[in-house]
Structure formats: structure tokens, C-alpha cells
Amino acid sequence: MVAARGPAPTAPIRIVAPGREWGVEPVELLVERGVEKVPSTYRRVSVEEEEELMALNDNSIAAAAEVEEEDRIGSGMDIPLIDLKEWDESHREEIVSKVREACEEWGFFRIVNHGVDVHLMQRMMQVAKEFIGLPIEEKAAYVGRPGMISQGYGSKYTIGAEDAVRDWRDYLFLWLQPEEVRDYAYWPSKPEAFRETMDQYSREVQELARKVLGLMSEGLGQRTGLLEEAIGEPPYQKVLINYYPACPQPQVVDGFHQHSDIGALTMVLQEDEAPVGLQVRYDNHWVPARPLPASFVVNVADQVEILTNGRYKSIEHRVVPNRHRSRLSIPVFYDAAPDVMISPVKELAQIPIYKQVKFDDHEHAFYEYGANGKNMVQSYILSNHPLAQPLSAS
Ligand code: OGA
Ligand code: NI
């Protein structure tokens, strides 16, 4: 049986599962309806700007798009790679210094031979793919409640800013740790292996996150537990299954608008065979975090930037969609509990740069206003700190 879908392209569609409705309809539905032009609510580049770009490129949309796509995929640079294979006492120092360099210079790196079972990573990606591949009517049963930060399936990340430009992205968002915060109503029952796989994945990735935080702390010349303790017990863990459908005009939208992550540490699993999507800001370039089998992309997030008084950087990144194929990624976030106060750790901050912020307030601000570069972290810079003011020429 084939379900009839979206008859009139302009009619707002609200699929209602029992008690649920879309806050914003999934991008997947637009794609299924075969839109050739991105609706204006998703456009980051105006029609005028696009026309200018076309004029520069032979007046051909295809040529402009190709140039832009190449530009967006970036240069030959790549983020650092750290191999934990030989992580034993004799190599510890070397690995710690690589981690330190990566966190200071890039805020991003990739790890291989990290100890998480590679088959488990593959199973996780597989069940995520199967869930995303379900008919939209089935996924509708997991739609998060509109108008609040909510676990579940959806396409809208912000609760404020109704007119904010939308990202070309659908997602499933779940809170994983501590276990009391899980809301199983949003955990897919299909595919059958989803729940058990997610549960096991959650535990192994959390273990790795702790190890990495330990290496990061040692990189600061501090005891292994410093960052983990500053983030506090119990740490929270959340996961996104991000789905970026193929896009007819990838040059005018973002899959995920540029942002830094709000938590402490993020570990991203990417689909091996997908095109480049994730890009990292380095100087003024967007450097691609290319997929690499059995690896995680690890990034420093805002809390660690604040705790380390800016020594480790929570770097902006974004996701660009692809014209021809969709992409799946699974970031797992290691966060503080909502009531934890984050401020520069004494040992690392003779002169603190940032004021104290409650994680819950930071998280709410993100969901209220949406991803927007590093605005939020910048707003925490203490007003009497030199970074807060332009240096006066003398
Ligand atoms: C995020 C993010 C990257 C990706 O979810 O915060 O940056 O590749 N995701 O989906
Ligand atoms: Ni991110």
C-alpha cells in the first residue's frame, strides 16, 4: 500500500499522529514533493546575491552551483588525526601533546583506534539509517512537542524566533544519561535493535568521552580528572541523529548553520560513504571533516572553552547539504547537569576571561535563539577583560 502524500505543493501539511503535530514540517517532505526551488524560509543567500554569483559564472545556475559547491567543500586541509592505538605509558606523553595541540589550534580532531567497538558503531549507524528510512507517518509517532526544548523527531531546533531561517535538516534528539532523563516514548521501537544498540552505544561513547577529557586535562598540565570533575556528576549525555536530505539548491541553504556546541565535548559518527558535510572554521577557511571509517570527529564545546579560560577552543562549524545525496551523522554530546555553574577553573585562570554561567541558561539561550556562531560565548567575556574591549592604540 502506498500512502498518498502532499497533494498540493503550497498547502501547509500537518501530519498528526495521535496527540502530535509538526512544529515545522520535516525537510524530507519537501524533498518528497520534489521541490526544485528551496522555499524562502530556508534561504541563507538571497535571490539577488545568487544572481550576482550566477552573473560571475557565465550566467549558468549549474556553473554557479558547481563553483560554490567546490568552494564550500574547501581546500586540501584536514583536521588533525589522533591514533590511540599505541596509547600506553610509553606513548602517553606524545598522545597528550597531540591532543593539546589539536584542542588549542583547531578545537577539532579525529580519533581512530579509540576502543569503541567498530561493529557497534556500524550497528548504530545502521539502526539510525533504518529509522530515518521509515515512512514519515511512522516517524510522526516520535515527533517532539512544539514550543519547547523537546526530545523526539523534528526539524525545528529553536523555540523562539519564529522567523529564523531554517536549516535543511531533520533529526531525532534523545537524552541518554543519566538514565533517569531518558524518555522512552521517543525511542523508536523500529527497527527492533534500535533501543538496545543505542543503550550500548551510549555507554561505550561515554567511556571514551571520559578518556578524552582525561587526555585533555593532562594536556593542560593538570591531573587527569580535572575537566571531568569541573563538569560534575552526573554528566549528561544527549544524542542527535541528524539527517540532511539531498538539496536541489545546496548553495543557498545550510544543513546546520554555523555554531559552536554548547556542552563540554562532542563526538560525531559520520556515515562513511556520505559526501563531505561537516566543515570546521580554521582561520577564515571552512575545512572539511571528511568521513573516515571507524573514526570519531571530536570537538571541544563551549563549557570546555570556558573552563579552560579559552585555552581550548570551541570552534565554529557548520554542515552543508549535497545536491545529489543525503547524509546522516550521529553526534553525542557530553554535557554538565542543568544546574552546574560553569566558570574558568582556578588552576587555569589567573585572570578569568569569562563570567560564570549556569549550564541550563546557556542551553536555553541556544534553543531560544538558534545556532549563531559564537555569539553566546562572546557575551560571557567579562567586561573588564581586555578581550571585551578593543585595545586602545597608544
Ligand atoms: C551538531 C553538529 C554535525 C553533523 O549536531 O551540533 O554540528 O555533521 N553536527 O551533523
Ligand atoms: Ni555542532
Side-chain angles (χ1 to χ4, degrees):
M1 189 192 70
V2 179
R5 286 204 182 124
T10 48
I13 294 192
R14 298 219 129 184
I15 292 185
V16 181
R20 311 260 167 95
E21 61 179 27
W22 302 126
V24 163
E25 70 172 346
V27 178
E28 183 187 333
L29 278 177
L30 292 175
V31 173
E32 276 188 3
R33 266 185 269 142
V35 292
E36 284 169 13
K37 293 259 177 234
V38 161
S40 58
T41 39
Y42 292 86
R43 260 187 180 270
R44 301 257 173 204
V45 176
S46 70
V47 175
E48 295 74 38
E49 285 166 321
E50 195 188 6
E51 278 167 1
E52 259 173 49
L53 189 70
M54 277 159 48
L56 286 176
N57 291 286
D58 258 0
N59 248 1
S60 133
I61 294 184
E66 291 305 323
V67 167
E68 176 72 4
E69 224 162 70
E70 233 169 71
D71 191 41
R72 287 194 132 200
I73 286 171
S75 60
M77 286 161 113
D78 209 345
I79 59 172
L81 175 69
I82 293 175
D83 190 341
L84 297 186
K85 186 160 100 203
E86 299 191 341
W87 182 19
D88 54 33
E89 282 320 307
S90 60
H91 291 85
R92 194 172 187 99
E93 230 171 89
E94 190 187 321
I95 289 177
V96 164
S97 76
K98 277 192 183 159
V99 169
R100 187 197 62 237
E101 274 167 36
C103 293
E104 287 179 344
E105 165 112 10
W106 285 83
F108 261 84
F109 55 95
R110 218 193 314 262
I111 37 175
V112 289
N113 297 309
H114 36 63
V116 175
D117 179 3
V118 172
H119 295 114
L120 177 61
M121 294 166 79
Q122 288 164 347
R123 285 208 306 280
M124 185 64 242
M125 187 49 81
Q126 184 57 32
V127 294
K129 246 185 223 175
E130 285 174 29
F131 171 71
I132 292 295
L134 291 176
I136 199 93
E137 295 80 357
E138 288 194 45
K139 286 181 289 199
Y142 302 100
V143 165
R145 280 170 289 170
M148 57 188 299
I149 299 178
S150 172
Q151 303 188 51
Y153 178 65
S155 194
K156 187 187 179 210
Y157 220 49
T158 52
I159 47 183
E162 273 307 321
D163 54 352
V165 182
R166 294 178 193 165
D167 283 341
W168 198 261
R169 174 179 71 114
D170 300 333
Y171 60 80
L172 176 71
F173 184 44
L174 300 174
W175 286 33
L176 301 175
Q177 302 283 355
E179 285 188 25
E180 312 83 90
V181 302
R182 292 185 182 183
D183 187 342
Y184 287 111
Y186 295 112
W187 287 48
S189 56
K190 257 202 216 170
E192 220 175 287
F194 186 98
R195 293 179 177 208
E196 181 261 318
T197 308
M198 183 59 90
D199 181 54
Q200 203 183 338
Y201 189 72
S202 157
R203 277 183 273 123
E204 290 209 15
V205 170
Q206 196 74 339
E207 191 64 27
L208 177 59
R210 286 210 166 93
K211 267 194 222 168
V212 172
L213 283 169
L215 293 169
M216 285 164 60
S217 302
E218 289 180 32
L220 296 161
Q222 301 292 329
R223 63 181 191 284
T224 315
L226 181 89
L227 287 174
E228 204 183 316
E229 286 159 27
I231 293 155
E233 279 296 321
Y236 274 47
Q237 187 196 42
K238 298 152 199 172
V239 68
L240 270 171
I241 292 175
N242 281 328
Y243 177 57
Y244 304 95
C247 178
Q249 293 177 288
Q251 69 279 19
V252 303
V253 304
D254 281 337
F256 201 142
H257 191 52
Q258 64 203 60
H259 65 284
S260 60
D261 290 352
I262 57 174
L265 187 74
T266 306
M267 304 223 285
V268 185
L269 175 62
Q270 310 195 69
E271 218 182 339
D272 291 344
E273 61 277 20
V276 169
L278 176 56
Q279 300 178 334
V280 176
R281 193 193 273 287
Y282 184 81
D283 286 340
N284 269 331
H285 303 284
W286 287 106
V287 175
R290 298 176 199 285
L292 177 73
S295 74
F296 287 100
V297 172
V298 179
N299 64 284
V300 172
D302 295 346
Q303 288 170 38
V304 165
E305 173 162 334
I306 296 168
L307 291 172
T308 65
N309 205 33
R311 223 175 120 184
Y312 288 168
K313 304 278 187 315
S314 167
I315 293 292
E316 270 180 84
H317 50 285
R318 68 178 187 185
V319 176
V320 295
N322 183 274
R323 181 184 302 277
H324 306 291
R325 317 192 10 159
S326 64
R327 171 175 175 270
L328 259 184
S329 71
I330 310 178
V332 172
F333 306 100
Y334 187 103
D335 290 357
D339 57 356
V340 169
M341 304 298 290
I342 302 285
S343 60
V345 175
K346 268 202 236 62
E347 291 90 321
L348 301 173
Q350 282 182 322
I351 307 174
I353 298 177
Y354 305 104
K355 66 179 182 191
Q356 177 167 273
V357 56
K358 191 170 164 193
F359 182 57
D360 195 35
D361 294 340
H362 185 52
E363 189 169 41
H364 271 82
F366 182 81
Y367 289 111
E368 180 105 29
Y369 305 114
N372 192 7
K374 291 208 57 175
N375 284 8
M376 288 195 329
V377 176
Q378 261 146 17
S379 75
Y380 305 146
I381 295 178
L382 288 162
S383 56
N384 62 355
H385 193 279
L387 282 179
Q389 292 143 17
L391 292 172
S392 57
S394 53

